[in-house]
Coordinates of all heavy atoms in Angstrom, one line a residue:
Chain A
H1511 N 56.9 57.0 76.1 CA 58.0 57.3 75.3 C 59.0 58.2 76.0 O 60.0 58.7 75.4 CB 57.6 58.0 74.0 CG 57.0 57.0 73.0 ND1 55.6 56.8 73.0 CD2 57.5 56.2 72.0 CE1 55.3 55.9 72.1 NE2 56.4 55.5 71.5
R1512 N 58.8 58.5 77.2 CA 59.7 59.5 77.9 C 61.1 59.0 77.8 O 61.4 57.8 77.6 CB 59.3 59.6 79.4 CG 59.3 58.3 80.1 CD 60.3 58.3 81.2 NE 60.4 56.9 81.8 CZ 61.4 56.1 81.5 NH1 62.4 56.5 80.8 NH2 61.4 54.9 82.0
C1513 N 62.0 60.0 77.8 CA 63.4 59.7 77.5 C 64.0 58.5 78.2 O 64.1 58.5 79.4 CB 64.2 61.0 77.7 SG 66.0 60.8 77.5
L1514 N 64.5 57.6 77.4 CA 65.2 56.4 78.0 C 66.5 56.8 78.7 O 66.8 56.2 79.7 CB 65.5 55.5 76.8 CG 66.2 54.2 77.0 CD1 65.4 53.2 77.8 CD2 66.6 53.6 75.6
G1515 N 67.2 57.8 78.2 CA 68.5 58.1 78.8 C 68.5 59.1 79.9 O 69.5 59.6 80.3
M1516 N 67.3 59.3 80.5 CA 67.2 60.5 81.4 C 68.1 60.3 82.7 O 68.7 61.2 83.2 CB 65.8 60.8 81.8 CG 65.1 59.7 82.6 SD 63.4 60.0 82.8 CE 62.9 58.5 83.4
H1517 N 68.2 59.0 83.2 CA 69.0 58.9 84.4 C 70.5 59.1 84.1 O 71.3 59.6 84.8 CB 68.8 57.5 85.0 CG 67.4 57.2 85.4 ND1 66.8 58.0 86.4 CD2 66.5 56.4 84.9 CE1 65.5 57.6 86.5 NE2 65.3 56.6 85.6
L1518 N 70.9 58.6 82.9 CA 72.3 58.8 82.4 C 72.5 60.3 82.2 O 73.6 60.9 82.7 CB 72.5 58.1 81.1 CG 73.9 58.2 80.5 CD1 75.0 57.7 81.5 CD2 74.0 57.5 79.2
A1519 N 71.6 61.0 81.6 CA 71.7 62.5 81.4 C 71.9 63.2 82.7 O 72.8 64.1 82.9 CB 70.5 63.0 80.6
R1520 N 71.1 62.8 83.7 CA 71.2 63.5 85.0 C 72.5 63.3 85.6 O 73.1 64.2 86.2 CB 70.1 62.9 85.9 CG 68.7 63.4 85.6 CD 67.7 62.8 86.6 NE 66.4 63.5 86.4 CZ 65.3 62.9 86.0 NH1 65.3 61.6 85.7 NH2 64.2 63.6 85.8
L1521 N 73.0 62.0 85.5 CA 74.3 61.7 86.1 C 75.4 62.6 85.4 O 76.2 63.2 86.0 CB 74.6 60.2 85.9 CG 76.1 59.9 86.2 CD1 76.3 59.8 87.8 CD2 76.5 58.5 85.6
E1522 N 75.4 62.6 84.1 CA 76.4 63.3 83.3 C 76.4 64.8 83.7 O 77.5 65.3 84.0 CB 76.1 63.2 81.8 CG 76.3 61.8 81.2 CD 76.0 61.7 79.8 OE1 75.3 62.6 79.2 OE2 76.4 60.7 79.1
L1523 N 75.3 65.4 83.8 CA 75.2 66.8 84.2 C 75.7 67.1 85.6 O 76.5 68.0 85.8 CB 73.8 67.4 84.0 CG 73.2 67.3 82.6 CD1 71.8 67.9 82.6 CD2 74.1 67.9 81.6
A1524 N 75.3 66.2 86.5 CA 75.7 66.4 87.9 C 77.2 66.2 88.1 O 77.9 66.9 88.8 CB 75.0 65.4 88.8
V1525 N 77.8 65.3 87.3 CA 79.2 65.0 87.4 C 80.0 66.2 86.9 O 81.0 66.6 87.5 CB 79.6 63.7 86.6 CG1 81.1 63.6 86.4 CG2 79.1 62.5 87.3
V1526 N 79.5 66.8 85.8 CA 80.2 67.9 85.2 C 80.2 69.1 86.2 O 81.2 69.8 86.4 CB 79.7 68.3 83.8 CG1 80.3 69.6 83.4 CG2 79.9 67.2 82.8
L1527 N 79.0 69.3 86.8 CA 78.9 70.5 87.7 C 79.9 70.3 88.8 O 80.6 71.3 89.2 CB 77.5 70.5 88.3 CG 76.4 71.1 87.4 CD1 75.0 71.0 88.0 CD2 76.7 72.6 87.1
K1528 N 80.0 69.1 89.3 CA 80.9 68.9 90.5 C 82.4 69.1 90.0 O 83.1 69.9 90.6 CB 80.7 67.5 91.1 CG 81.7 67.2 92.1 CD 81.3 65.9 92.8 CE 82.3 65.6 94.0 NZ 83.7 65.4 93.5
E1529 N 82.8 68.3 89.0 CA 84.2 68.2 88.7 C 84.7 69.5 88.1 O 85.9 69.9 88.3 CB 84.5 67.0 87.8 CG 84.0 65.6 88.3 CD 84.8 65.2 89.6 OE1 85.7 66.0 90.0 OE2 84.4 64.2 90.2
W1530 N 83.9 70.1 87.3 CA 84.4 71.4 86.6 C 84.6 72.4 87.7 O 85.7 73.1 87.7 CB 83.4 71.9 85.6 CG 83.8 73.0 84.8 CD1 83.9 74.3 85.3 CD2 84.4 73.1 83.5 NE1 84.4 75.2 84.4 CE2 84.8 74.4 83.3 CE3 84.7 72.1 82.6 CZ2 85.3 74.8 82.1 CZ3 85.3 72.5 81.4 CH2 85.6 73.8 81.1
H1531 N 83.6 72.6 88.6 CA 83.8 73.7 89.5 C 84.8 73.5 90.6 O 85.3 74.4 91.2 CB 82.4 74.1 90.1 CG 81.5 74.7 89.1 ND1 80.6 73.9 88.4 CD2 81.5 75.9 88.5 CE1 80.0 74.7 87.5 NE2 80.5 75.9 87.6
E1532 N 85.1 72.2 90.8 CA 86.2 71.9 91.7 C 87.6 72.4 91.1 O 88.5 72.7 91.8 CB 86.2 70.4 91.9 CG 86.7 70.0 93.3 CD 86.4 68.5 93.5 OE1 85.3 68.1 93.6 OE2 87.5 67.7 93.5
R1533 N 87.7 72.3 89.8 CA 88.9 72.6 89.1 C 89.0 74.0 88.5 O 90.0 74.6 88.4 CB 89.2 71.5 88.0 CG 89.5 70.2 88.7 CD 89.5 69.0 87.7 NE 89.8 67.9 88.5 CZ 89.0 67.3 89.3 NH1 87.7 67.7 89.4 NH2 89.4 66.2 90.0
I1534 N 87.9 74.4 87.9 CA 87.8 75.7 87.3 C 86.6 76.5 87.8 O 85.6 76.6 87.2 CB 87.7 75.6 85.7 CG1 88.8 74.7 85.2 CG2 87.8 77.0 85.1 CD1 88.7 74.4 83.7
P1535 N 86.7 77.0 89.1 CA 85.5 77.5 89.7 C 85.0 78.9 89.0 O 83.8 79.1 89.0 CB 85.9 77.8 91.1 CG 87.4 77.8 91.1 CD 87.8 76.9 90.0
H1536 N 86.0 79.6 88.5 CA 85.6 80.9 88.0 C 86.0 81.0 86.5 O 87.1 80.7 86.1 CB 86.2 82.1 88.8 CG 85.8 82.0 90.2 ND1 84.5 82.3 90.6 CD2 86.5 81.7 91.3 CE1 84.4 82.2 91.9 NE2 85.6 81.8 92.4
Y1537 N 85.0 81.5 85.7 CA 85.3 81.6 84.3 C 84.3 82.6 83.8 O 83.3 83.0 84.5 CB 85.0 80.2 83.6 CG 83.8 79.5 84.1 CD1 82.6 79.7 83.4 CD2 83.8 78.7 85.2 CE1 81.4 79.1 83.8 CE2 82.6 78.0 85.6 CZ 81.4 78.3 84.9 OH 80.3 77.7 85.4
R1538 N 84.5 83.1 82.6 CA 83.6 84.1 82.0 C 83.5 83.8 80.5 O 84.3 83.1 79.9 CB 84.2 85.5 82.2 CG 85.5 85.7 81.6 CD 86.2 87.0 82.0 NE 87.5 87.0 81.4 CZ 88.6 86.5 82.1 NH1 88.5 86.1 83.3 NH2 89.8 86.5 81.5
I1539 N 82.4 84.3 79.9 CA 82.2 84.2 78.5 C 83.1 85.3 77.8 O 83.2 86.4 78.3 CB 80.7 84.4 78.1 CG1 79.9 83.4 78.9 CG2 80.5 84.4 76.6 CD1 78.4 83.6 78.8
K1540 N 83.8 84.8 76.8 CA 84.7 85.7 76.1 C 84.0 87.0 75.7 O 82.9 86.9 75.1 CB 85.3 85.0 74.9 CG 86.5 85.8 74.3 CD 87.2 84.9 73.3 CE 88.3 85.7 72.7 NZ 88.5 85.5 71.3
E1541 N 84.6 88.1 75.9 CA 84.0 89.4 75.6 C 83.7 89.5 74.1 O 84.4 89.1 73.3 CB 84.9 90.5 76.1 CG 84.1 91.7 76.7 CD 85.0 92.8 77.2 OE1 85.8 92.4 78.1 OE2 84.9 93.9 76.7
G1542 N 82.5 90.1 73.9 CA 82.2 90.4 72.5 C 81.5 89.2 71.8 O 81.2 89.2 70.6
T1543 N 81.3 88.1 72.5 CA 80.7 86.9 71.9 C 79.2 87.1 71.8 O 78.5 87.6 72.7 CB 80.8 85.7 72.8 OG1 82.2 85.5 73.2 CG2 80.4 84.4 72.1
R1544 N 78.7 86.8 70.6 CA 77.2 86.8 70.4 C 76.8 85.4 70.5 O 77.2 84.5 69.7 CB 76.9 87.4 69.0 CG 75.5 88.0 69.0 CD 75.3 88.7 67.6 NE 73.9 88.3 67.2 CZ 73.6 87.6 66.2 NH1 74.5 87.2 65.3 NH2 72.3 87.3 65.9
L1545 N 75.9 85.1 71.4 CA 75.5 83.7 71.6 C 74.2 83.5 70.8 O 73.2 84.1 70.9 CB 75.2 83.4 73.1 CG 76.4 83.5 74.0 CD1 76.0 83.2 75.4 CD2 77.5 82.5 73.5
V1546 N 74.3 82.5 69.8 CA 73.2 82.2 68.9 C 72.7 80.8 69.2 O 73.5 79.9 69.4 CB 73.7 82.3 67.5 CG1 72.6 81.8 66.5 CG2 74.2 83.7 67.1
E1547 N 71.4 80.6 69.3 CA 70.9 79.3 69.5 C 70.2 78.8 68.2 O 69.6 79.5 67.5 CB 69.9 79.2 70.7 CG 68.6 79.8 70.5 CD 67.8 79.9 71.8 OE1 68.3 79.6 72.9 OE2 66.6 80.3 71.7
R1548 N 70.4 77.5 67.9 CA 69.9 76.8 66.7 C 68.4 76.6 67.0 O 68.0 76.2 68.1 CB 70.6 75.5 66.6 CG 70.2 74.7 65.3 CD 70.9 73.3 65.4 NE 70.3 72.5 66.5 CZ 71.0 71.5 66.9 NH1 72.1 71.1 66.4 NH2 70.4 70.8 67.9
G1549 N 67.6 76.7 66.0 CA 66.1 76.4 66.1 C 65.9 74.9 66.0 O 66.9 74.1 66.0
G1550 N 64.7 74.5 66.0 CA 64.4 73.1 65.9 C 64.6 72.3 67.2 O 63.7 71.8 67.8
Q1551 N 65.9 72.2 67.5 CA 66.2 71.6 68.8 C 67.4 72.4 69.3 O 68.4 72.4 68.6 CB 66.6 70.1 68.6 CG 66.9 69.4 69.9 CD 67.2 67.9 69.7 OE1 66.3 67.2 69.2 NE2 68.3 67.4 70.0
L1552 N 67.2 73.1 70.4 CA 68.2 74.1 70.8 C 69.6 73.6 71.0 O 69.8 72.5 71.6 CB 67.7 74.8 72.0 CG 66.3 75.4 71.9 CD1 66.0 76.2 73.3 CD2 66.1 76.4 70.8
T1553 N 70.5 74.4 70.6 CA 71.9 74.2 71.0 C 72.7 75.4 70.7 O 72.2 76.2 69.9 CB 72.6 73.0 70.3 OG1 73.7 72.5 71.1 CG2 73.1 73.3 68.9
L1554 N 73.8 75.7 71.4 CA 74.6 76.9 71.1 C 75.6 76.5 70.1 O 76.3 75.4 70.3 CB 75.2 77.4 72.4 CG 74.3 77.8 73.5 CD1 75.1 78.3 74.7 CD2 73.3 78.9 73.0
A1555 N 75.8 77.3 69.1 CA 76.8 77.0 68.1 C 78.2 77.0 68.8 O 79.1 76.2 68.4 CB 76.7 78.1 67.0
T1556 N 78.4 77.9 69.7 CA 79.7 78.1 70.3 C 79.6 78.8 71.6 O 78.7 79.5 71.8 CB 80.7 78.9 69.4 OG1 81.8 79.2 70.1 CG2 80.1 80.1 68.9
L1557 N 80.5 78.4 72.6 CA 80.5 79.1 73.9 C 81.9 79.3 74.3 O 82.5 78.4 75.0 CB 79.6 78.3 74.9 CG 79.7 78.9 76.3 CD1 79.1 80.3 76.4 CD2 78.9 78.0 77.3
P1558 N 82.6 80.4 73.9 CA 84.0 80.5 74.3 C 84.1 81.0 75.8 O 83.5 82.0 76.1 CB 84.5 81.6 73.4 CG 83.3 82.2 72.6 CD 82.1 81.4 73.1
L1559 N 84.7 80.2 76.6 CA 84.9 80.5 78.0 C 86.4 80.8 78.2 O 87.3 80.3 77.5 CB 84.5 79.3 78.9 CG 83.0 78.9 78.9 CD1 82.9 77.8 79.9 CD2 82.1 80.1 79.3

Side-chain angles (χ1 to χ4, degrees):
Chain A
H1511 288 89
R1512 59 116 190 106
C1513 173
L1514 178 66
M1516 63 186 170
H1517 300 297
L1518 178 61
R1520 287 183 167 114
L1521 170 78
E1522 290 178 343
L1523 300 181
V1525 166
V1526 175
L1527 282 174
K1528 175 175 185 294
E1529 303 299 353
W1530 185 283
H1531 292 97
E1532 214 171 289
R1533 289 167 181 78
I1534 310 176
H1536 300 292
Y1537 46 90
R1538 58 188 176 269
I1539 299 171
K1540 190 170 180 220
E1541 220 175 299
T1543 309
R1544 206 178 137 241
L1545 295 179
V1546 175
E1547 72 189 11
R1548 184 186 67 197
Q1551 183 174 302
L1552 304 181
T1553 202
L1554 299 180
T1556 166
L1557 175 61
L1559 294 182

